[in-house]
DNA sequence: GTCTATAAATCGATAGAC
DNA sequence: GTCTATCGATTTATAGAC
């Protein structure tokens, strides 16, 4: 009877861990992302990562092959998430303003679910090795698609005829900085945040 | 005659260098800022800095006492520039919208003149040692003053009655990211850039 | 003011026991 | 799958010659 009880507790704990991390490698990546956000990729050591997990640094290499592989996993998966999100927005037959709103929602959603990884995507991409060129292409394509939506919005007189580059970088800078202050705004539900952001970014703040 | 000519060339070159760097220490700081922007503080070594100046790493220590002192010089001087700029804006007897426009101009001006240092201010402040608390206080005070201007603008019905934190962080995120794309927009003169930014940030982009 | 040489600590990563 | 032990390279910083 005791054995059955203990056994069920162990299973329960295992299931809880499976809910949080789908593998030991995944745990390394998520733990690293937290540390990378705090100090940046270069200032975090393999010993730091191991200590945060309660193991020794050498043990990490049984699950990943290098520190570089951790960074690459964090950044590329997020960059591809933005790329696939943008592709869905582009093909829809909607106004450019609705497309801009969907981009805002895309950033809020991804950042809400990956507040730590977003720091690496923004600040540590230059430390990518093999995957640097691939990352740069994804980012360039994303910005080009974003710029196209703005330019078409101007052409179809949905948006004001102001400098499209200033519009692009103003909106994109705000969306890329979301990871810094979303954690402190946990009272705001993502839908409300996206709605407020949309209002401020698209309509301005002057009465 | 030849000696006089050569001498005048040397003096002329010395004057040119004095125009660029006011001391060897200043040259170290400015050179470091360029490298810090490219790779971040932690990934830049004293050898990197020395190599960029054409000397050996040990020679740096005749002018500065530590790598930390370089970072501290870059960040604190910029943070104090923002603080003193904000104080001038606060005391003026003007509308809150004019104050917001002056803040935008403050960021454009400082960033135009310190595009490299602004990267450290944004991304490497957590590596400050002794000066970390002082930096955090300057930043906290700056954001509080910014928030006060927005709140008073709402109270006096100059601004829409939307979430003031979303307004603050939307504008501030864009202004803090200026260092990333001002270098590639060298065709835009600072006054035009500030004017376009003001239009987009305050009035929005929808027609 | 710059150099060579080097100290002392720490880095990413590997070998091999268990 | 985690450990101890360690390698070889690299780090910041110092000592002392010139």
């Amino acid at each position: 009877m005791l054995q059955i009880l203990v056994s069920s507790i162990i299973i329960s704990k295992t299931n809880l861990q499976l809910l949080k991390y789908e593998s030991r490698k995944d745990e390394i990546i998520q733990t690293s992302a937290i540390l990378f956000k705090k100090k940046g990729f270069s200032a975090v050591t393999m010993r730091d990562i191991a200590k945060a997990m309660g193991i020794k640094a050498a043990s990490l290499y049984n699950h990943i092959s290098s520190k570089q592989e951790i960074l690459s996993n964090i950044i590329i998966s997020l960059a591809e998430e933005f790329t696939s999100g943008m592709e869905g927005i582009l093909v829809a037959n909607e106004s450019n303003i609705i497309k801009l709103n969907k981009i805002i929602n895309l950033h809020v959603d991804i950042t809400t679910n990956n507040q730590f990884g977003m720091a690496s995507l923004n600040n540590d991409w230059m430390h990518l090795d093999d995957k640097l060129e691939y990352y740069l292409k994804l980012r360039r394509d994303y910005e080009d698609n974003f710029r196209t939506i703005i330019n078409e919005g101007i052409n179809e007189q949905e948006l004001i005829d102001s400098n499209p580059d200033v519009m692009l970088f103003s909106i994109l800078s705000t969306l890329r900085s979301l990871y810094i202050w979303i954690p402190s705004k946990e009272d705001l539900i993502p839908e409300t945040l996206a709605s407020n952001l949309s209002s401020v970014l698209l309509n301005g703040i002057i009465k």
Side-chain angles (χ1 to χ4, degrees), chain A:
Chain A
M1 179 56 186
L2 181 65
Q3 198 174 7
I4 295 172
L5 219 114
V6 167
S7 168
S8 87
I9 288 172
I10 290 172
I11 291 171
S12 170
K13 195 190 169 206
T14 304
N15 283 341
L16 274 174
Q17 287 182 335
L18 284 178
L19 281 177
K20 193 166 183 188
Y21 306 115
E22 57 184 46
S23 67
R24 200 75 164 139
K25 176 174 177 176
D26 182 52
E27 183 181 358
I28 292 173
I29 292 170
Q30 290 197 43
T31 304
S32 300
I34 295 175
L35 300 177
F36 291 171
K37 185 188 178 190
K38 228 178 291 189
K39 305 202 296 176
F41 172 75
S42 301
V44 174
T45 70
M46 297 301 279
R47 287 166 177 83
D48 290 334
I49 300 167
K51 195 167 197 173
M53 291 178 61
I55 59 177
K56 297 292 175 182
S59 306
L60 295 171
Y61 291 89
N62 210 60
H63 307 280
I64 48 99
S65 65
S66 66
K67 192 185 173 190
Q68 177 67 211
E69 188 190 344
I70 301 176
L71 181 68
S72 173
N73 261 277
I74 295 173
I75 292 182
I76 298 300
S77 67
L78 278 171
E80 289 177 339
E81 221 173 309
F82 277 103
T83 295
S84 105
M86 176 63 89
E87 282 166 0
I89 293 169
L90 277 176
V91 298
N93 193 9
E94 290 161 324
S95 77
N96 293 294
I97 289 179
I98 290 182
K99 286 180 181 173
L100 289 178
N101 268 310
K102 286 193 169 179
I103 291 178
I104 293 171
N105 273 283
L106 179 67
H107 281 259
V108 171
D109 284 348
I110 295 181
T111 305
T112 301
N113 295 321
N114 306 270
Q115 59 153 295
F116 300 110
M118 286 303 299
S120 295
L121 182 70
N122 275 289
N123 303 319
D124 289 323
W125 56 266
M126 70 284 282
H127 298 117
L128 284 174
D129 216 47
D130 299 343
K131 300 287 179 62
L132 177 59
E133 285 306 319
Y134 176 54
Y135 161 79
L136 288 175
K137 176 175 168 43
L138 291 184
R139 192 180 64 169
R140 201 166 38 241
D141 289 348
Y142 188 84
E143 290 182 3
D144 286 345
N145 288 330
F146 205 145
R147 191 181 289 105
T148 298
I149 292 175
I150 289 177
N151 280 328
E152 289 187 358
I154 295 174
N155 283 340
E156 293 167 22
Q157 308 215 351
E158 300 173 64
L159 303 180
I160 59 168
D161 190 12
S162 185
N163 189 321
D165 278 335
V166 174
M167 297 187 193
L168 170 63
F169 282 107
S170 169
I171 298 176
L172 203 44
S173 293
T174 299
L175 297 179
R176 282 179 173 159
S177 301
L178 276 173
Y179 77 95
I180 296 175
W181 54 287
I182 268 193
S184 67
K185 294 273 164 292
E186 276 170 355
D187 45 324
L188 267 184
I189 56 174
E191 287 77 11
T192 308
L193 172 59
S195 164
N196 283 342
L197 260 179
S198 169
S199 163
V200 168
L201 291 176
L202 303 185
N203 297 310
I205 65 172
I206 288 188
K207 198 159 193 171

